[in-house]
Amino acid sequence: MLLCLLGIASSLDAGTNTAENHPQLSWKNGGSSVSGSVTVDANWRWTHIKGETKNCYDGNLWSDKYCPDAATCGQNCVIEGADYQGTYGVSASGNALTLTFVTHGQYSTNVGSRLYLLKDEKTYQIFNLIGKEFTFTVDVSNLPCGLNGALYFVQMDADGGTAKYSDNKAGAKYGTGYCDAQCPTDLKFINGIPNSDGWKPQKNDKNSGNGRYGSCCSEMDVWEANSLATAYTPHVCDKLEQVRCDGRACGQNGGGDRFSSSCDPDGCDFNSWRLGNKTFWGPGLIVDTKQPVQVVTQWVGSGTSVTEIKRKYVQGGKVIDNSFTKLDSLTKQYNSVSDEFCVAQKKAFGDNDSFTKHGGFRQLGATLAKGHVLVLSLWDDHDVNMLWLDSVYPTNSNKPGADRGPCKTSSGVPADVESQAASSSVKYSDIRFGAIDSTYK
Ligand SMILES: *[C@@H]1O[C@H](CO)[C@@H](O)[C@H](O)[C@H]1NC(C)=O
Ligand SMILES: *[C@@H]1O[C@H](CO)[C@@H](O)[C@H](O)[C@H]1NC(C)=O
């Protein structure tokens, strides 16, 4: 009986086929150099039978044989260590991390990646952004329409969820425990258990599908960008920790409506183009995306209170202040994100203000004070082709706020970008965290 209890406990464990060697990435905290490393999200990892090389998950499907139900699946299957460069197109050197879009590996074709900064082998680095500044250099010159090089924070557990969920043995070391404000249901494991029950393959995605459950938590999008468009966007959730959702309670991803989850899926975005300045961000423009650019973000506040998120860019040794809004419908001009800006922007665009409904900056302060994990990713969009970032969306709309960037409404189709822009990449480097106005020149 005791053996039996011990034997079935572990549902998400790591295999021994490939050693997990985290790429090293150094960064600066308050001016001091920190030797960090990154780990790729569990979703990207090979999932196979324990002790054998048979797949538990292949393409966009779970094996009927090894995963007839989540509990059996968890007992049968493990996730593997990663060959970062060969399989995922991820390379780190000194303080720089480069993510390549499509990688033709020995066993598979990989699309995009999502990585987390680690403090040590088993623990994510936790950042409390309140009253602080986060700065990095990014090269988006090789990111066309439809791609998104994203650097952001989410309220994941520092250990990936091993303390909270005894089924999770793999932990942060193997990139487990992801959550965000879209309550994604495409995760293969949630709370240490396979999300295989009710799994539906995604029609236009050979690599992914959606399960019954999703994983929700607050998200601070510092950076979502390609060479044609960029936005920064806080999103808040009702709970101040990662929580699993079921079906409709996961919002649109779970088959519910867009606003039926406990999170704010839209967030409150600052996109210079969308807010009326079409000459600010792009190739050869005021912030020239043909060159690397230093991006500075500041969270004004203290304790559990944050009131404003400011942005500056630095290029060629020159500090460029964020653009101001230029919209007829706004009586005041803004160049930062705050409760006042969010209410005014949502009203001007006729958007549902779910950011304010879920607590706005009060809730943002509460979640940021708990600490967030840094995410570095590159992705394409199998739902709406990234048009919400870089084109006109909804595509047939001429309402204020629909025009978000210069890309064509026919752009960003995953099949097109994955074949035509396969070698695209994004390079993040020189991450610096510290007191406001201390990390850039
Ligand atoms: C866009 O931003 C730049 C830099 O702040 C400014 O010089 C320019 O006038 C702005 N354009 C519009 C249309 O607001
Ligand atoms: C707006 O969002 C709230 C939740 O934040 C939701 O309850 C409501 O139904 C939404 N309204 C519309 C028109 O979608």
Side-chain angles (χ1 to χ4, degrees):
M1 188 58 199
L2 184 64
L3 262 179
C4 177
L5 284 174
L6 290 172
I8 61 167
S10 151
S11 268
L12 173 54
D13 210 342
T16 52
N17 220 275
T18 308
E20 174 66 10
N21 292 316
H22 296 132
Q24 302 293 303
L25 181 70
S26 67
W27 59 285
K28 281 200 168 139
N29 189 358
S32 312
S33 190
V34 182
S35 323
S37 64
V38 292
T39 185
V40 70
D41 184 279
N43 238 35
W44 271 257
R45 294 172 183 272
W46 181 28
T47 307
H48 65 91
I49 293 282
K50 202 177 295 177
E52 295 179 42
T53 56
K54 295 189 185 100
N55 292 329
C56 283
Y57 179 97
D58 196 6
N60 56 20
L61 290 171
W62 289 93
S63 154
D64 287 339
K65 189 163 164 203
Y66 307 124
C67 294
D69 59 80
T72 312
C73 187
Q75 287 161 44
N76 285 337
C77 307
V78 291
I79 56 174
E80 263 308 326
D83 171 0
Y84 280 84
Q85 172 81 70
T87 306
Y88 304 109
V90 170
S91 61
S93 171
N95 69 11
L97 182 72
T98 302
L99 311 183
T100 309
F101 183 39
V102 178
T103 306
H104 298 285
Q106 194 181 349
Y107 303 105
S108 60
T109 294
N110 179 73
V111 179
S113 55
R114 185 164 72 219
L115 294 105
Y116 310 119
L117 185 68
L118 289 162
K119 181 176 84 166
D120 59 45
E121 270 290 277
K122 301 199 295 191
T123 322
Y124 297 130
Q125 179 71 45
I126 296 295
F127 290 87
N128 177 352
L129 301 169
I130 300 178
K132 292 286 176 43
E133 169 175 284
F134 185 94
T135 295
F136 64 104
T137 298
V138 67
D139 185 343
V140 293
S141 59
N142 195 18
L143 286 186
C145 294
L147 268 63
N148 187 339
L151 181 154
Y152 59 107
F153 289 93
V154 289
Q155 201 190 338
M156 289 163 75
D157 286 9
D159 61 6
T162 50
K164 229 161 48 178
Y165 310 111
S166 59
D167 285 316
N168 186 348
K169 304 283 187 242
K173 180 175 180 182
Y174 290 89
T176 71
Y178 185 68
C179 52
D180 69 33
Q182 308 301 324
C183 302
T185 54
D186 66 349
L187 302 173
K188 289 180 212 160
F189 294 88
I190 298 175
N191 296 5
I193 300 169
N195 194 18
S196 52
D197 291 347
W199 187 265
K200 293 189 191 72
Q202 210 166 309
K203 279 188 215 75
N204 64 348
D205 192 338
K206 284 187 285 237
N207 291 317
S208 91
N210 299 86
R212 167 176 168 181
Y213 298 106
S215 184
C216 312
C217 68
S218 293
E219 168 180 351
M220 175 65 236
D221 294 328
V222 174
W223 188 248
E224 294 196 277
N226 54 41
S227 57
L228 288 314
T230 187
Y232 71 98
T233 312
H235 299 256
V236 288
C237 297
D238 299 341
K239 296 273 170 58
L240 296 175
E241 59 180 341
Q242 177 272 341
V243 284
R244 189 175 78 167
C245 58
D246 185 354
R248 274 187 59 80
C250 306
Q252 215 160 25
N253 286 318
D257 22 89
R258 178 143 190 89
F259 299 102
S260 65
S261 80
S262 58
C263 293
D264 150 40
D266 288 1
C268 172
D269 61 307
F270 198 106
N271 167 337
S272 296
W273 179 291
R274 187 178 190 218
L275 293 166
N277 194 322
K278 299 185 175 182
T279 59
F280 190 69
W281 173 263
L285 299 184
I286 292 166
V287 185
D288 180 7
T289 58
K290 288 190 278 193
Q291 310 297 330
V293 55
Q294 198 176 26
V295 180
V296 182
T297 312
Q298 304 173 329
W299 289 262
V300 179
S302 63
T304 58
S305 159
V306 60
T307 54
E308 187 181 8
I309 309 167
K310 293 185 178 177
R311 162 61 49 84
K312 290 173 200 295
Y313 299 91
V314 185
Q315 204 169 40
K318 211 178 81 195
V319 177
I320 306 169
D321 285 324
N322 195 27
S323 62
F324 276 89
T325 54
K326 194 162 170 75
L327 296 173
D328 295 341
S329 47
L330 286 182
T331 46
K332 204 172 139 185
Q333 302 199 344
Y334 301 88
N335 74 342
S336 66
V337 175
S338 60
D339 271 331
E340 188 189 313
F341 161 77
C342 296
V343 170
Q345 189 248 52
K346 298 288 181 184
K347 199 166 158 227
F349 293 161
D351 287 342
N352 191 349
D353 189 356
S354 67
F355 178 74
T356 302
K357 287 196 187 103
H358 286 281
F361 270 67
R362 178 180 46 76
Q363 193 70 355
L364 184 65
T367 174
L368 291 181
K370 297 257 178 194
H372 278 218
V373 174
L374 174 63
V375 186
L376 301 133
S377 80
L378 175 58
W379 59 291
D380 62 349
D381 179 355
H382 287 259
D383 294 322
V384 292
N385 305 344
M386 219 66 81
L387 302 175
W388 57 271
L389 175 68
D390 61 20
S391 182
V392 176
Y393 189 78
T395 51
N396 54 3
S397 173
N398 55 11
K399 279 192 357 191
D403 187 5
R404 298 145 194 268
C407 298
K408 292 197 177 117
T409 54
S410 59
S411 71
V413 176
D416 297 342
V417 290
E418 287 170 24
S419 59
Q420 291 154 23
S423 63
S424 299
S425 63
V426 61
K427 182 176 181 181
Y428 304 106
S429 62
D430 198 13
I431 291 171
R432 302 175 188 205
F433 179 66
I436 292 204
D437 285 335
S438 74
T439 66
Y440 66 100
K441 49 161 115 194

